[in-house]
Amino acid sequence: MKLSKFGEKFTRQAGILSLMDDLGHALASGSEDLIMMGGGNPGHIPEVQNIIRQRLQDLLADPDKLHHLVGVYGPPQGDWDFIAALAQLLQRQCGWDIGPENIGLTNGSQAAFFLLFNMFAGPCTDGSQRQIQLPLASEYIGYTDAGLSDNFFTAARPDIEFIDAHTFKYRVNFDAVHITEQTGALCVSRPTNPTGNVLTDDEVNQLAALARQHDIPLILDNAYGMPFPGMVFTEATPLYDENTIVCMSLSKLGLPAARTGIVIARPEIIKALAGINAIVNLTTGSFGSALALELVRSGEILRLSREVIAPFYRRRAERATAWAHEYLEGCDYYVHKAEGAMFLWLWFKDLPITNLELYERLKQRGVIVVSGHYFFPGIEEEWAHRHECIRVTYAQDEDEVNRGMQIIGTEVKKAYGI
Ligand code: PLP
């Protein structure tokens, strides 16, 4: 088959594809023996699932609502009732100066990143080639292949702060964040996938100031953040200003299959995004917004995030961290401080095998993790650290996470020759 540049670029082996393939095959094979610590599926939280079931029944019981749910195309900006309710909620809760004109919906926030990245980076009409700058590597695997052109990202290595003998935290190294004429936007996830890092308010404010100074947007990926789904175990103030683009999602709340991404930005950006969305998708699916509308209107989504979702993941994080320390004892390992999201980022210093080899060995043992080398978009130079980390998801069944961590411990010790 003779493909265009686009066709060739988007059919290359992409990290995100291998991850979603692992996830899909594991689920499709129905193998009870596989321990899934790889993907980003949210945990099963009965209280959340009951609310979703109830909302679905309410929609089915009302013919007008059912028609609205499946029988009409909504506007390209997304369902208007949901957008209006969300604008009010965010004004009230976060004090953000926004209205419905500041919000656009996409088919998952993954689609929002694809559209936004390519709006702000790539070949420009003035002949320049702009890039998205990631101020703190490691970063989300899903960004890696989202550029329509090559050399799409630049990234800065972080400072590594050692918190205790086996715990570390990445910090933005502002000396390494070089913004040039070629920088189209800054982008950072907070909490960060894959590390569970939560950038401090200071770090985010400094990044926002830098972006403002260079007249480029700061894209804040808030898929796990505040005020919902609120998977944050430290203090973190949600930031929005005229120069910031905040991306949110209903996925980690428990609705990944409803594919609902939320973009908050100044009106000209939302208008542009809705225009591109119309060309690519006509409109955004309204399933997620219909399911979540009443939760947003009533503010119940905030209570759920605060009282149900955050404690669920905090407990999972604490237990997974304790198991990591138990099973890795005797190795030269470090756990990134788990401050949010649903991942442990494990660093095996001077590991004699690569993280990809470790991933393969764990897969043979029925444990699916993600090799850390995928999470460094924009880092071109060789850096051993890149081949020494793995990402482990702790959102699923606790007994399985325990068993999985035990097997990881055994395989890592074997690799170190312990
Ligand atoms: N951003 C981050 C940091 C993520 O981890 C994910 C999914 O795992 C996404 C964005 C995309 O999520 P969705 O497209 O389901 O909204």
Side-chain angles (χ1 to χ4, degrees):
M1 132 175 108
K2 198 154 169 52
L3 294 175
S4 65
K5 258 191 179 172
F6 169 90
E8 280 182 14
K9 182 171 187 307
F10 283 80
T11 51
R12 272 182 228 152
Q13 190 56 29
I16 191 73
L17 177 62
S18 118
L19 183 146
M20 295 309 282
D21 260 2
D22 264 356
L23 200 66
H25 286 147
L27 291 177
S29 72
S31 168
E32 316 239 300
D33 301 331
L34 272 187
I35 300 178
M36 280 308 300
M37 298 169 88
N41 271 331
H44 301 285
I45 308 180
E47 186 168 346
V48 174
Q49 289 172 334
N50 287 341
I51 288 173
I52 293 170
R53 185 176 305 109
Q54 187 57 52
R55 287 294 310 135
L56 204 46
Q57 279 164 353
D58 293 347
L59 292 171
L60 290 178
D62 181 331
D64 284 344
K65 285 188 178 150
L66 181 63
H67 180 64
H68 186 75
L69 179 68
V70 293
V72 288
Y73 290 111
Q77 193 180 331
D79 183 83
W80 201 247
D81 290 344
F82 181 80
I83 285 177
L86 184 60
Q88 284 193 6
L89 182 90
L90 294 172
Q91 279 164 14
R92 249 192 351 259
Q93 179 65 20
C94 307
W96 293 352
D97 182 17
I98 57 167
E101 66 284 4
N102 295 95
I103 300 181
L105 306 183
T106 53
N107 290 318
S109 63
Q110 184 70 25
F113 291 106
F114 180 76
L115 301 179
L116 288 167
F117 285 169
N118 289 294
M119 268 168 69
F120 290 106
C124 299
T125 42
D126 63 4
S128 68
Q129 175 83 27
R130 299 227 174 134
Q131 293 170 306
I132 301 289
Q133 162 92 12
L134 308 171
L136 196 158
S138 52
E139 254 301 358
Y140 173 46
I141 189 173
Y143 302 156
T144 312
D145 298 289
L148 282 167
S149 49
D150 289 322
N151 297 324
F152 201 78
F153 296 98
T154 55
R157 287 196 204 180
D159 281 335
I160 297 181
E161 179 191 336
F162 291 94
I163 293 172
D164 61 35
H166 291 290
T167 312
F168 74 108
K169 177 175 164 67
Y170 291 138
R171 300 239 177 229
V172 179
N173 174 3
F174 283 93
D175 292 337
V177 180
H178 302 298
I179 299 178
T180 68
E181 292 284 292
Q182 271 68 53
T183 313
L186 294 180
C187 175
V188 73
S189 61
R190 183 196 198 218
T192 308
N193 178 354
T195 54
N197 194 11
V198 174
L199 266 71
T200 61
D201 286 355
D202 247 16
E203 285 174 316
V204 175
N205 288 331
Q206 267 198 68
L207 288 175
L210 258 181
R212 211 172 305 122
Q213 187 190 328
H214 289 88
D215 197 21
I216 54 172
L218 168 65
I219 303 174
L220 274 179
D221 182 347
N222 202 23
Y224 302 88
M226 305 299 285
F228 64 83
M231 294 153 71
V232 174
F233 324 135
T234 58
E235 288 298 310
T237 314
L239 174 108
Y240 169 76
D241 63 25
E242 278 243 304
N243 196 54
T244 309
I245 303 174
V246 179
C247 296
M248 301 183 65
S249 172
L250 296 182
S251 294
K252 310 302 169 175
L253 202 73
L255 294 170
R259 310 304 304 126
T260 309
I262 299 161
V263 180
I264 300 146
R266 52 176 200 268
E268 58 173 326
I269 295 176
I270 296 299
K271 207 167 160 201
L273 190 74
I276 304 176
N277 198 31
I279 294 169
V280 180
N281 296 304
L282 293 187
T283 181
T284 297
S286 53
F287 213 75
S289 34
L291 281 173
L293 176 61
E294 289 309 322
L295 292 175
V296 169
R297 256 191 195 144
S298 64
E300 171 73 356
I301 197 167
L302 302 176
R303 187 198 68 79
L304 260 188
S305 301
R306 198 174 46 237
E307 294 179 13
V308 179
I309 295 172
F312 174 91
Y313 286 101
R314 181 193 294 269
R315 178 191 143 95
R316 294 287 164 116
E318 286 169 359
R319 306 209 69 182
T321 306
W323 288 321
H325 290 309
E326 181 182 340
Y327 299 127
L328 290 166
E329 204 189 336
C331 301
D332 201 3
Y333 76 95
Y334 297 89
V335 182
H336 192 286
K337 189 165 180 238
E339 298 180 314
M342 51 165 82
F343 314 106
L344 280 194
W345 180 245
L346 304 175
W347 172 22
F348 306 114
K349 206 160 175 299
D350 302 323
L351 190 71
I353 59 170
T354 64
N355 42 10
L356 190 57
E357 173 65 23
L358 179 62
Y359 156 84
E360 290 292 350
R361 291 187 188 182
L362 288 169
K363 198 169 172 181
Q364 291 301 316
R365 297 283 312 270
V367 180
I368 307 289
V369 300
V370 186
S371 169
H373 75 281
Y374 291 119
F375 294 91
F376 294 86
I379 297 276
E380 300 301 337
E381 72 274 15
E382 236 348 284
W383 183 24
H385 187 70
R386 216 172 144 162
H387 304 287
E388 297 177 340
C389 301
I390 60 168
R391 191 195 76 178
V392 169
T393 307
Y394 54 71
Q396 305 306 318
D397 180 78
E398 283 194 302
D399 290 339
E400 298 223 341
V401 174
N402 185 356
R403 266 199 304 132
M405 284 303 312
Q406 200 165 4
I407 295 170
I408 292 170
T410 311
E411 284 303 320
V412 169
K413 282 181 185 164
K414 211 187 285 173
Y416 273 121
I418 296 173

